[in-house]
Amino acid sequence: MSDFLLEARNVSVTFGSGSTKVEAVKNVSLTLSAGEPIGIVGESGSGKSTLARVLAGLQPPTEGEIYFNGQPVYNGAKSYTGEARRQVQMVFQDPYGSLNPQLTGLSAVAEAVRIHDKCDKKESEVRALELLKRMGIAQLDALKKPRQLSGGQRQRVSVARALSANPTVLLADEPTSAIDQSAQAQLLNLFRGLLNDGLAIVMVSHDLGVIRYLTKRVYVMKDGVFVESGVTEEIFNDPREDYTKLLLASIPGHLGTAARKKLHG
Amino acid sequence: MTTQNPLLSVKDVIIGIPHRRRETLIIVNKANFDVSSGEMVGIVGESGSGKTMVCRAIIGTLERRGATVLEGEVLFDGHDLAKINEAQWKKLRGKSIGYVPQSALAGPNPVLTIEAQLTEALRNTGDTKNIKARSKELLDLVKIRRVDTVMKQYPYQLSGGMRQRVMIACALATSPKLLIADEPTTGLDVTVQSQIMELLKEIRSSMGTSIILISHDLALIDDVCDKVVVMHAGATVEVGTVKDLENPLHPYTVALNSSRIDVAAPGSELVTILGSAPSVGQWQAGCRFSLRCGLVQPDCSVGEHPALIGARGSHQTACLHADRLKGAGAR
Amino acid sequence: MSTATHTEKNKVKKYRKEGTLGLWTGFGMLGAMILAGALIPRLSKYDPNEPSLIPMLAPSRANFFGTDSLGRDIFVRVFDAVFVDLGTAFIGVSIPLVVGTIIGTLLGISRNKRVNSFIGSLIDGINAFPFLIFVIALIAFIGPGIPSIILALSLVNWARYARIARTRAVVVNQQGYVEAARTLGFSKKRILFKHIIPNVSSETRAYALSDFIIVIIAVAALSFLGLGSKPPQAEWGAMIKDGAGLLPINIWWPTVFPGLALCWAGISVAFLAEGLNRRLREVNV
């Protein structure tokens, strides 16, 4: 039914009804192949987070279908089941809400490892520590509760937790928005490493700088629809839509300055 | 940029939190920089670098957090802000110095309409005539359209970007000489961020207001500021113009520059800074960047934190071995 | 003012955590009372229920708190009442806490509109009534006695916990870690019991502590009205009522000592609650 690893076909998501109807996503289609990094860029309110949650199986679409490995994902309100469920994981935007405040980083990741590897408690902790180490979280920090960790550290613990399922697709919803520039660089390096390991990543962001760094293809989203899409480098060098040009001009630093020059001649 | 009689001069400031049962906790040691009239200065550093605390010292809200300036001077317009009392603060705070807080944290009072907020801010000037007209002028100044509608609205009805503009408008009510914007665009979309930066630049050029912009994003500061102050673990480690910082003289600045994604080639390895800044209370001797520095020498880890080398107003650095950096990390 | 050098700062002096004083005081006071409640009735030579002494004797070395109108030693009665009052209040808080938290949580995460609005209205309805009056009305229906108090309290109080739990559950349900648990394929049972309920109950448990004080007083108040413990069982509220009639003739001891016991209980729990609050606040900063 679908040749791609993950595909969305004519997906729409509408919340509420009558006077309070909100069309968050309107007739959107996208594809993702194995090991590919793609981006969905747009401002807040564009519907990109909703779309990410639809792809993750957390939000059933009002219309349209999602296919994973050729199979439809949604069956009524139910989504990914069995083997497929572990293959598609997500990292959320707010580092402060993405970890259970009562669990240490180690417990959180070990719990996920236990469920997926079906090993005993001790073994799961060993594997969890290793995973956390790969994410740059030292053993000392793994034993801390989330409130004792920085935003960047929390994000990395979340990534470790997501990776414990050994996924083939990672959806990242604005993972760098709430953290420092230096922590951002660490996280992006991490993602780059995961790409090299063969993971497919969908990066949702409002910052084209991040998209440019990490992705090969990008979809530009505004008010629930894709206004432009294509190869990331081409979008940067030759944006067609005004909205895309606006986004480019807003990137802080040199990229933005260059884009602004092009915009104003 | 001349530093003869700068508008604001932060000299060797040390800020700490005295505690009745423990030792005084030092959070800034030492901060050093000047802001001239009409200048836009960016203070960049990671969370915990002390950049916000220094600005709290400038607007006098340290007491509320139990902190106080232990040493040094904060000279503004003839007063030493480190030594004035609350009564004197009432005359200064919010009048000659304005403050715009982080967008995510504070914001307009949720139970007051925008008109009410502006009225309060304008009352501060002592002149109560024509408040409504002046309120509308302020909203105009921050480029808010549909002024009449917005005046009657409540903060929850406005977007994050518009709320920040209202905060800027309130801060500008008294035509302050200095405006401090503390991470004003954190949590806002880049498009909104870009607009707010444009706004600040315009305010600077049209009203001659000096602006201190606090951020963790070097790329942003690079875009809009004239001068940059780099802070790490409570100390000022480099000061210079934006052009100066194209050839940074401190390993920390070099690292910050190298980790910028706007200059990195797509898919390349981003240079990151090892570890994290030592947290307050766990500062080691000597230069507090030494544990993360690639050029560390034995003399970097002893004694007091290195002071800024170089004359005030020139390109200063707190690295004892800055000469080894010449050329490295240049953009 | 001198500035501490870097090397000095490395010596972190040992210091007491915030709230410790409150916690120790509270625990100490409550613990002492419970210990006394266990030991004194056993060790005393007086029987708390036998009217064997001369009534209305003033406090003396023989009878620390004096005797009441029926000739019973008040000292031993006050402590005999500890388990009744504190125990009833404890159960009267625990049951609503557990029931309310579970119902409120399930309501907060449920997407079934009809169930949600039905039980939701029930909760709001119960909460709208003045607490004590509702309880009294229920007891009038069920009949007096300690078990009735517990039943009535449970039937009324669960709604307050449920409301808190429901609000909190809605928030928790939307948090990243719960959504992550879903994408990670955790079972619904695991998500509910390991992730949602613990983070909801942190709020209801905090409420329970301050509710405890209210319920202690409520239990005493209900017994004062004659709806509680059956005589001759000692109980602070009932003792206060018995002694109330004697106040005009300056016989203060049958009323004051049980009253002080009530205060002691309430204050010790207040210390505990405050100490806990401070400790949690410091940790979260």
Side-chain angles (χ1 to χ4, degrees):
Chain A
M1 287 229 246
S2 164
D3 299 320
F4 301 96
L5 179 60
L6 184 61
E7 182 179 359
R9 260 188 228 164
N10 303 114
V11 166
S12 296
V13 182
T14 308
F15 294 115
S17 59
S19 55
T20 55
K21 195 153 76 154
V22 172
E23 290 177 282
V25 178
K26 300 183 220 169
N27 203 0
V28 141
S29 298
L30 69 66
T31 65
L32 174 72
S33 303
E36 195 188 14
I38 66 169
I40 304 178
V41 68
E43 296 173 284
S44 6
S46 57
K48 57 191 197 300
S49 293
T50 309
L51 181 58
R53 294 182 68 238
V54 172
L55 291 170
L58 293 168
Q59 173 71 52
T62 321
E63 272 167 42
E65 295 96 38
I66 307 285
Y67 295 96
F68 178 67
N69 261 335
Q71 300 301 317
V73 165
Y74 282 95
N75 180 3
K78 290 200 224 235
S79 63
Y80 295 97
T81 46
E83 179 63 11
R85 175 67 277 178
R86 70 156 189 82
Q87 289 197 42
V88 179
Q89 293 302 321
M90 187 157 171
V91 176
F92 301 88
Q93 175 178 1
D94 176 17
Y96 299 93
S98 55
L99 297 175
N100 187 334
Q102 308 204 343
L103 297 177
T104 60
L106 178 61
S107 309
V109 179
E111 182 186 23
V113 170
R114 231 181 4 259
I115 300 289
H116 290 112
D117 292 353
K118 299 196 190 4
C119 52
D120 64 14
K121 188 155 190 261
K122 248 194 180 192
E123 178 64 23
S124 71
E125 287 188 359
V126 167
R127 294 191 199 176
L129 278 173
E130 236 193 80
L131 205 48
L132 285 163
K133 201 163 107 173
R134 263 179 64 200
M135 300 292 116
I137 302 280
Q139 179 155 346
L140 206 69
D141 292 326
L143 295 169
K144 290 189 184 158
K145 292 253 174 86
R147 60 171 175 262
Q148 296 165 295
L149 299 173
S150 70
Q153 287 173 314
R154 286 185 229 205
Q155 285 299 52
R156 282 180 277 145
V157 173
S158 298
V159 175
R161 183 182 54 189
L163 291 179
S164 63
N166 222 343
T168 47
V169 177
L170 184 66
L171 299 151
D173 187 2
E174 303 234 39
T176 56
S177 299
I179 57 182
D180 267 354
Q181 185 203 318
S182 10
Q184 185 175 308
Q186 277 177 319
L187 198 62
L188 288 174
N189 254 346
L190 212 70
F191 281 133
R192 202 185 41 87
L194 293 173
L195 277 174
N196 287 340
D197 290 340
L199 185 65
I201 297 184
V202 178
M203 173 67 82
V204 177
S205 179
H206 62 85
D207 186 346
L208 268 171
V210 169
I211 298 283
R212 182 195 84 123
Y213 174 74
L214 206 64
T215 68
K216 290 276 174 333
R217 276 189 308 117
V218 63
Y219 295 88
V220 180
M221 195 165 186
K222 179 174 197 251
D223 292 329
V225 293
F226 283 160
V227 297
E228 192 167 351
S229 63
V231 174
T232 308
E233 209 180 315
E234 281 168 25
I235 300 270
F236 263 79
N237 294 331
D238 187 22
R240 255 166 259 164
E241 295 297 316
D242 285 336
Y243 184 64
T244 316
K245 295 183 188 166
L246 173 67
L247 284 179
L248 283 168
S250 310
I251 311 175
H254 293 293
L255 289 174
T257 320
R260 266 167 294 193
K261 275 212 190 91
K262 262 201 250 169
L263 201 61
H264 301 301
Chain B
M1 287 287 160
T2 173
T3 47
Q4 251 88 33
N5 294 324
L7 181 66
L8 173 76
S9 195
V10 175
K11 288 195 176 143
D12 294 328
V13 167
I14 301 183
I15 301 176
I17 301 183
H19 196 283
R20 52 199 153 94
R21 284 185 303 222
R22 309 171 227 179
E23 292 176 20
T24 299
L25 196 64
I26 308 285
I27 24 182
V28 173
N29 178 9
K30 296 171 183 180
N32 261 301
F33 59 89
D34 294 332
V35 177
S36 302
S37 192
E39 200 178 27
M40 182 124 77
V41 174
I43 305 184
V44 66
E46 295 162 290
S47 335
S49 54
K51 52 194 199 294
T52 300
M53 275 300 177
V54 171
C55 291
R56 291 212 179 105
I58 303 173
I59 51 162
T61 56
L62 280 181
E63 292 294 329
R64 205 178 297 167
R65 279 159 182 78
T68 145
V69 177
L70 296 170
E71 267 185 38
E73 301 174 309
V74 180
L75 300 169
F76 177 77
D77 215 24
H79 306 268
D80 182 357
L81 301 181
K83 298 189 176 51
I84 61 178
N85 58 31
E86 183 59 27
Q88 291 165 301
W89 266 120
K90 280 213 167 71
K91 291 198 213 128
L92 271 176
R93 195 191 288 128
K95 296 200 174 67
S96 328
I97 306 181
Y99 180 72
V100 181
Q102 269 196 47
S103 51
L105 296 182
N109 187 331
V111 301
L112 293 179
T113 58
I114 303 305
E115 182 171 356
Q117 317 260 12
L118 290 167
T119 307
E120 235 186 273
L122 283 168
R123 285 237 176 87
N124 219 5
T125 61
D127 176 8
T128 50
K129 296 193 288 267
N130 298 328
I131 286 202
K132 192 150 184 187
R134 285 155 67 202
S135 302
K136 294 196 188 176
E137 263 173 42
L138 279 174
L139 287 181
D140 228 8
L141 195 64
V142 295
K143 304 266 185 318
I144 288 184
R145 284 166 251 161
R146 299 180 301 127
V147 169
D148 289 308
T149 319
V150 169
M151 287 274 271
K152 295 192 180 48
Q153 285 181 316
Y154 285 91
Y156 75 89
Q157 295 169 289
L158 302 176
S159 66
M162 286 188 79
R163 285 202 293 267
Q164 272 307 74
R165 288 173 200 268
V166 170
M167 294 307 285
I168 295 176
C170 290
L172 292 175
T174 54
S175 300
K177 296 190 193 146
L178 174 66
L179 184 70
I180 303 181
D182 187 354
E183 304 224 35
T185 54
T186 309
L188 299 177
D189 282 336
V190 277
T191 45
V192 177
Q193 177 172 274
S194 151
Q195 288 165 356
I196 300 227
M197 289 300 126
E198 283 303 307
L199 182 62
L200 288 178
K201 284 207 282 206
E202 248 198 67
I203 290 172
R204 190 264 302 257
S205 51
S206 66
M207 290 175 68
T209 317
S210 304
I211 301 183
I212 295 182
L213 178 66
I214 303 178
S215 178
H216 59 78
D217 188 345
L218 196 51
L220 187 67
I221 289 190
D222 206 29
D223 258 356
V224 300
C225 297
D226 305 310
K227 195 156 83 184
V228 184
V229 175
V230 183
M231 289 195 68
H232 177 266
T236 307
V237 298
E238 188 162 358
V239 180
T241 62
V242 163
K243 194 122 183 40
D244 284 339
L245 256 70
E246 283 175 18
N247 288 305
L249 288 178
H250 194 282
Y252 179 58
T253 318
V254 172
L256 274 183
N257 255 339
S258 314
S259 63
R260 286 168 59 163
I261 51 172
D262 61 327
V263 293
S268 65
E269 169 122 20
L270 286 173
V271 176
T272 57
I273 317 175
L274 293 158
S276 43
S279 23
V280 168
Q282 279 156 12
W283 289 348
Q284 68 269 33
C287 174
R288 293 188 277 274
F289 187 65
S290 52
L291 289 179
R292 311 161 77 189
C293 182
L295 296 173
V296 62
Q297 299 287 298
D299 61 343
C300 293
S301 325
V302 289
E304 293 271 336
H305 191 280
L308 283 175
I309 305 164
R312 281 183 94 89
S314 69
H315 188 175
Q316 297 172 292
T317 173
C319 179
L320 300 170
H321 302 278
D323 45 316
R324 298 171 89 225
L325 277 172
K326 292 230 154 70
R331 277 192 283 104
Chain C
M1 266 174 286
S2 67
T3 54
T5 59
H6 313 280
T7 41
E8 271 179 61
K9 273 195 286 329
N10 283 333
K11 290 192 239 120
V12 177
K13 275 198 241 155
K14 278 208 187 300
Y15 62 94
R16 259 199 257 114
K17 281 196 205 175
E18 282 290 325
T20 311
L21 197 62
L23 281 174
W24 277 115
T25 315
F27 260 130
M29 285 174 74
L30 202 60
M33 173 167 255
I34 294 177
L35 201 65
L39 294 175
I40 289 178
R42 243 162 270 241
L43 301 175
S44 170
K45 55 182 185 252
Y46 302 114
D47 184 307
N49 298 324
E50 271 301 312
S52 54
L53 304 165
I54 304 174
M56 298 185 281
L57 284 177
S60 63
R61 275 241 285 238
N63 302 312
F64 297 132
F65 288 173
T67 60
D68 65 7
S69 59
L70 293 181
R72 299 174 291 198
D73 179 53
I74 294 179
F75 184 71
V76 74
R77 277 179 69 76
V78 163
F79 288 100
D80 192 42
V82 168
F83 277 96
V84 176
D85 276 283
L86 290 184
T88 311
F90 183 74
I91 303 178
V93 165
S94 304
I95 297 181
L97 172 63
V98 172
V99 172
T101 302
I102 294 184
I103 294 184
T105 306
L106 290 174
L107 216 62
I109 64 179
S110 133
R111 278 190 262 199
N112 182 327
K113 286 210 170 128
R114 261 204 258 138
V115 168
N116 230 309
S117 68
F118 174 66
I119 303 191
S121 311
L122 183 66
I123 292 178
D124 291 332
I126 296 180
N127 284 336
F129 273 92
F131 175 61
L132 214 51
I133 298 191
F134 202 166
V135 174
I136 294 175
L138 273 177
I139 297 184
F141 191 68
I142 312 171
I146 295 281
S148 305
I149 292 186
I150 294 180
L151 184 59
L153 281 174
S154 304
L155 285 172
V156 175
N157 223 4
W158 73 272
R160 282 175 172 72
Y161 288 86
R163 191 214 284 153
I164 297 175
R166 177 179 55 170
T167 322
R168 180 91 182 120
V170 169
V171 170
V172 167
N173 201 26
Q174 293 169 345
Q175 293 289 67
Y177 61 88
V178 172
E179 303 225 285
R182 296 204 175 104
T183 58
L184 286 165
F186 290 0
S187 68
K188 280 200 178 165
K189 199 171 89 164
R190 172 173 282 270
I191 298 180
L192 183 65
F193 286 103
K194 286 248 152 136
H195 292 275
I196 300 185
I197 290 190
N199 284 294
V200 170
S201 72
S202 51
E203 292 232 342
T204 51
R205 269 178 284 151
Y207 178 72
L209 209 51
S210 35
D211 195 37
F212 192 46
I213 305 175
I214 299 179
V215 173
I216 291 178
I217 298 180
V219 166
L222 291 166
S223 298
F224 180 89
L225 294 173
L227 300 170
S229 62
K230 280 201 287 260
Q233 170 59 50
E235 194 279 329
W236 295 332
M239 290 168 75
I240 295 177
K241 168 155 153 252
D242 289 339
L246 299 173
L247 284 174
I249 49 173
N250 272 339
I251 298 184
W252 51 270
W253 50 96
T255 333
V256 167
F257 289 110
L260 284 176
L262 207 53
C263 290
W264 181 277
I267 291 175
S268 56
V269 177
F271 268 121
L272 258 175
E274 178 64 19
L276 218 70
N277 267 338
R278 281 211 193 171
R279 180 74 77 97
L280 289 172
R281 219 182 297 148
E282 187 196 49
V283 156
N284 282 327
V285 140

